[in-house]
Amino acid sequence: MSSINFNSLTENATRLGMRIQETLAERTRDFSLAGSGAGYYDTGEDKTKNIRAQLDSGSDREKLEAMKRLIAMISKGRNVSEYFAQVVKNVAASNLEVRKLVYIYLLRYAEAEPDLALLSINTFQRDLTDSSPLIRAMALRVLSGIPVPTIASLVALAIKKCAADPSPYVRKTAALSIPKCYSLDDSQLPSLIEILSALLRDRSPLSIGSVAIAFEAVCSTRLDLLHTHYRRLCRMLVDVDEWGQVNLLELLIRYARIMLPRPAVSHDSLGKETEEVDRDLELLLTSAEPLFQSRNPAVVMSVTRAFYYLGLPSQHHKIVHPLLRLLEVSPEIERVVLAYILSISRSAPQLFSLHYTRFIIRADDSTRLKEIKSRLLQYFVTAENHQALLREFVDYADDVDETLVAGAIQGIGHMARTIPESSAQCLNALMACIKSPHDAVVTHAVVELKSLVQSQMQGAPAHAGAPSAPLTIVERLAYRIDEIRHAQARACVVWLVGQYAADDSPGAVVEGVAPWAPDVLRKIAKSFREETALVKLQAVTLAAKLLVLSPAHNTLIQLAKYIFALARYDTNYDVRDRGRMLQQLLAGVVPSVGAADAEDTGGVVLRRAQVRVVLFEGKAGGAAPAPRTDARERLGTLGLVLDRDVLGARLLPDWLERGVLPGLRDSPDDAQPTPAPTAIGHIAPRAGVGASGHASPVVVLTPAGSGGPSPAGSVPNRGAWADLNKFYASESEEEGDEEEESGEEGEEEAEEEEEEEESDGGEDESEEEGSRDDEAHAEVGGSAGASRTPDAGSDGDEHSASMQAPVR
């Protein structure tokens, strides 16, 4: 018997040990996976081959592990739609964690497998009544994510049901489901607008941002639905979640531009400025201003858009420091913020000019950032900082980045045009750039010099007697024509030589022509075959200009004939056309250079003075090309960041002249609450007329320390008390004084009674006591009536005053 018991005990102990070992191994595995979660990302063949078996098993642990592994594979970009049939079976799993993961999977692959997803619609509808708000919300998300138009009516009913859910998270999900339902079937628009109208009355900050998204997607033109909710939405702006604030601000900006009158600045007879801002517009700006302190850069930039597009110029300074703060967040945010600042600085550079040091280019900046910063520094040039910025531009001109070199040289030219006292320094800096061994530096310097010389010589005669600084620059460029290899730079030099080659000073080598101009023509004629079409066009023009200035010089005539002959048979048709046109133009000036063929003769023959006007006069100024600007260009658009037009970009709506009636925005929420008492003597304002047509009675409690006039019979006014301790101290002193007075009155009454007893000794004892009681009662009532305030509505009746006074 003992051996049987021993064997059974041994067997039970062995089973217990094996079970403990299995449990420990399973717990250890769960602990390791739950600790890091990295094990689910192991997508080896041995790890994924059992997923189907785990999904079909009856253990919630196995299902949960399989779903976690599937979600991990989805996050790595793996296509796991092959498990859709097995996952759909677990849509009604009892385990809450499993159901959450199943919903996430169905959201990802419901579009790829709509037929299989339809099998679980009944489960989703049942989950809409689940006790957990998370399950209700996820069920609606999956139901609205099934791309089958036939269930659009069911989705609309589910959205309507969830729009009235007590949980704000479920209402938020309902708002986000409205665009999905509209994309399934646009015929549901009337019912969806009705749901949106109900959601706009939602007072939860959690859901109102999603309502704004749904409004923009479904009925963005129905801004009339926002009339009665506008002021409440402005007040809720601070409490909305961060990304909801971005969407809500975008909606309110559009509403303000369309429905509110434009703010303006008026001047009175004395010249004083008066800002006229609508009350509702001021409410929006006041409500949005605290969001400048938000930690989300998107919110800060949304508030920037609101103040820039809705506020007056006097309020634009508020956007400066918030935008400067965002420059230090990250390089990605910096690029977007710089695009904002660049767009704003085109019209208002004075806002950021004091902070130009924040835009100094760093060595680790990207090419795009360098380009934007160089353009910003051009806008920020003033008479106070031009010396520092000139040094910066000169230093940037030696950079290896050609984009930065071009921006720096353009900045020097811009400074010479905007700050006249710095033009000499800028010209010297550009002339120093011509000596650079880098072709890019020389090219951009020549182009900028050409623009500067042209702008400075504008309006002055081209054949001025004494050489000025611009003519000296042209001379130096003419002597360095061989060192300039870039086609555009060479064309600029040739144009400058021809345009300003006139020289009427006596003793010139070639009469009427500067001494350096014919040599340039000789060098260009020598290399005419190897030049680009751009240089050839300017060479033909140079030959014609020099002939007009000196038509009798034989050498010039021979050079011109040679160039015209080469141009006549050039491969480029623009060069051929230019040469024939100029030959025909010179037929009246130098007949030997004119058209040689008989077929080319005829037409109007111009005199020399007329040809000179055609070739030299009426040239456009050398102003730098203006950057791309658009008055309707929006801050916050992708095109602004990319600096190009983007398809589908929404333009900013124009202001209305007067806006809609402000009474349309009135709502019961605008009623001001009764202010709370702020002092002991506070008197509440009289309420308005009630529904019955009579004024509502106002009960006013007038304490002893009230500063207002006291009615008859009350304690005399002692002035308003500011300290409660002094007030109560005065009350206690009053009570002590009253007790002393009552004591003295009692002694006097006793003496009077003794005298009466002596005089009326024959009266009854009971009559004496009754008379004493009546007298005492009357005296106490009189003293008490003098120390109490009667009711505000009483007529001072003695009976009512005695009834209000307590008997001491």
Side-chain angles (χ1 to χ4, degrees), residues 490 523-533 535-536:
R490 287 177 67 87
K523 293 178 180 180
I524 293 297
K526 186 177 179 179
S527 61
F528 189 87
R529 296 178 183 272
E530 291 79 19
E531 299 291 348
T532 61
V535 179
K536 290 178 181 179

Side-chain angles (χ1 to χ4, degrees), residues 274-500:
T274 304
E275 296 182 351
E276 298 178 358
V277 183
D278 187 77
R279 180 172 59 93
D280 292 326
L281 181 59
E282 186 177 1
L283 173 63
L284 174 57
L285 296 178
T286 305
S287 303
E289 187 173 357
L291 300 183
F292 275 130
Q293 309 300 325
S294 175
R295 63 180 180 180
N296 191 331
V299 177
V300 178
M301 288 187 281
S302 296
V303 183
T304 300
R305 290 197 296 272
F307 273 82
Y308 185 68
Y309 288 129
L310 303 180
L312 289 169
S314 60
Q315 296 178 306
H316 289 174
H317 68 278
K318 298 179 181 180
I319 70 179
V320 175
H321 290 288
L323 289 180
L324 294 178
R325 174 174 62 88
L326 296 182
L327 293 176
E328 309 297 333
V329 176
S330 67
E332 294 78 12
I333 299 299
E334 182 183 11
R335 176 175 177 178
V336 178
V337 174
L338 285 177
Y340 270 60
I341 296 176
L342 180 61
S343 179
I344 295 172
S345 299
R346 288 170 180 165
S347 58
Q350 71 278 2
L351 292 176
F352 297 92
S353 59
L354 296 177
H355 309 277
Y356 72 94
T357 55
R358 302 290 296 272
F359 304 96
I360 298 299
I361 299 175
R362 301 188 298 266
D364 58 345
D365 286 337
S366 63
T367 302
R368 179 58 179 165
L369 287 183
K370 291 179 180 179
E371 181 183 359
I372 295 177
K373 286 185 176 181
S374 64
R375 293 167 63 182
L376 283 173
L377 292 178
Q378 295 180 32
Y379 292 140
F380 299 156
V381 171
T382 60
E384 292 77 16
N385 60 16
H386 74 275
Q387 293 288 349
L389 290 180
L390 178 59
R391 291 192 295 269
E392 289 292 328
F393 288 140
V394 171
D395 185 66
Y396 298 155
D398 295 331
D399 197 86
V400 296
D401 192 341
E402 186 174 349
T403 304
L404 180 57
V405 171
I409 294 177
Q410 290 173 5
I412 296 175
H414 176 77
M415 185 181 298
R417 282 186 290 268
T418 55
I419 310 296
E421 56 267 22
S422 67
S423 58
Q425 294 177 322
C426 295
L427 289 175
N428 292 333
L430 291 175
M431 292 304 298
C433 292
I434 296 178
K435 303 177 183 179
S436 174
H438 304 289
D439 292 341
V441 179
V442 176
T443 301
H444 293 294
V446 169
V447 173
E448 198 62 35
L449 277 172
K450 179 246 183 184
S451 177
L452 283 177
V453 170
Q454 188 178 1
S455 61
Q456 291 187 9
M457 295 292 293
Q458 188 74 21
H463 53 282
S468 59
L471 291 180
T472 305
I473 294 173
V474 175
E475 181 180 359
R476 296 175 63 179
L477 290 175
Y479 285 134
R480 300 177 64 91
I481 187 65
D482 292 335
E483 301 176 8
I484 301 173
R485 301 180 181 86
H486 194 273
Q488 185 178 5
R490 287 177 67 87
C492 288
V493 173
V494 174
W495 184 89
L496 285 174
V497 170
Q499 184 68 20
Y500 304 108

Side-chain angles (χ1 to χ4, degrees), residues 484-787:
I484 301 173
R485 301 180 181 86
H486 194 273
Q488 185 178 5
R490 287 177 67 87
C492 288
V493 173
V494 174
W495 184 89
L496 285 174
V497 170
Q499 184 68 20
Y500 304 108
D503 185 7
D504 295 335
S505 60
V509 178
V510 180
E511 184 182 357
V513 179
W516 32 265
D519 193 56
V520 173
L521 181 62
R522 179 188 62 82
K523 293 178 180 180
I524 293 297
K526 186 177 179 179
S527 61
F528 189 87
R529 296 178 183 272
E530 291 79 19
E531 299 291 348
T532 61
L534 188 61
V535 179
K536 290 178 181 179
L537 290 172
Q538 297 303 327
V540 175
T541 306
L542 174 62
K545 289 180 177 180
L546 294 183
L547 277 181
V548 171
L549 295 176
S550 181
H553 197 278
N554 186 46
T555 305
L556 285 180
I557 294 174
Q558 297 301 322
L559 284 175
K561 285 183 177 181
Y562 178 72
I563 291 178
F564 285 140
L566 294 177
R568 187 178 185 86
Y569 301 102
D570 194 82
T571 56
N572 188 282
Y573 61 86
D574 286 332
V575 178
R576 296 195 302 268
D577 293 344
R578 176 73 63 88
R580 292 173 180 174
M581 185 270 293
L582 292 176
Q583 274 187 296
Q584 189 66 32
L585 190 66
L586 294 172
V589 180
V590 186
S592 60
V593 183
D597 299 336
E599 60 185 8
D600 292 336
T601 60
V604 179
V605 178
L606 301 180
R607 298 188 304 272
R608 179 186 174 187
Q610 294 172 329
V611 176
R612 186 165 184 167
V613 171
V614 172
L615 292 178
F616 287 94
E617 303 297 332
K619 304 301 178 184
R628 184 178 70 90
T629 57
D630 185 1
R632 293 162 63 83
E633 184 183 45
R634 289 194 63 191
L635 296 178
T637 58
L638 183 60
L640 180 67
V641 179
L642 299 179
D643 197 26
R644 63 173 63 96
D645 294 329
V646 178
L647 184 64
R650 180 179 296 175
L651 297 178
L652 190 69
D654 294 326
W655 284 99
L656 290 183
E657 291 297 329
R658 297 185 178 179
V660 299
L661 296 176
L664 296 175
R665 291 182 287 274
D666 293 340
S667 66
D669 297 333
D670 298 335
Q672 296 295 333
T674 303
T678 57
I680 293 297
H682 177 80
I683 299 178
R686 182 172 298 277
V689 178
S692 61
H694 302 285
S696 302
V698 180
V699 179
V700 181
L701 300 178
T702 307
S706 174
S710 302
S714 64
V715 176
N717 183 19
R718 295 188 304 272
W721 293 98
D723 192 345
L724 291 178
N725 296 328
K726 294 180 181 180
F727 176 80
Y728 289 122
S730 65
E731 288 288 335
S732 61
E733 292 176 1
E734 274 187 10
E735 292 177 358
D737 295 341
E738 290 177 357
E739 290 177 358
E740 292 178 359
E741 291 176 359
S742 63
E744 293 175 359
E745 291 175 357
E747 293 178 358
E748 293 176 359
E749 291 173 358
E751 293 177 358
E752 291 177 359
E753 290 175 358
E754 291 178 357
E755 292 176 358
E756 289 178 358
E757 289 177 356
E758 292 177 358
S759 61
D760 301 330
E763 295 180 357
D764 294 332
E765 188 70 13
S766 59
E767 292 179 356
E768 291 177 0
E769 291 179 357
S771 63
R772 284 197 302 269
D773 292 340
D774 293 339
E775 292 174 0
H777 186 273
E779 290 175 0
V780 173
S783 62
S787 62

Side-chain angles (χ1 to χ4, degrees), residues 200-203 229-236 669:
L200 284 172
R201 295 190 290 269
D202 197 343
R203 298 182 179 275
H229 310 292
Y230 171 79
R231 294 168 183 166
R232 179 173 53 83
L233 293 178
C234 291
R235 298 187 187 100
M236 290 177 61
D669 297 333

Side-chain angles (χ1 to χ4, degrees), residues 40-41 65-77 80 100-106 108:
Y40 293 113
Y41 292 93
E65 182 179 352
M67 289 305 305
K68 287 182 178 180
R69 197 171 296 279
L70 286 177
I71 300 301
M73 294 168 68
I74 291 175
S75 66
K76 293 180 66 176
V80 293
K100 292 179 183 178
L101 297 178
V102 169
Y103 283 156
I104 295 174
Y105 180 92
L106 292 178
R108 176 66 177 79

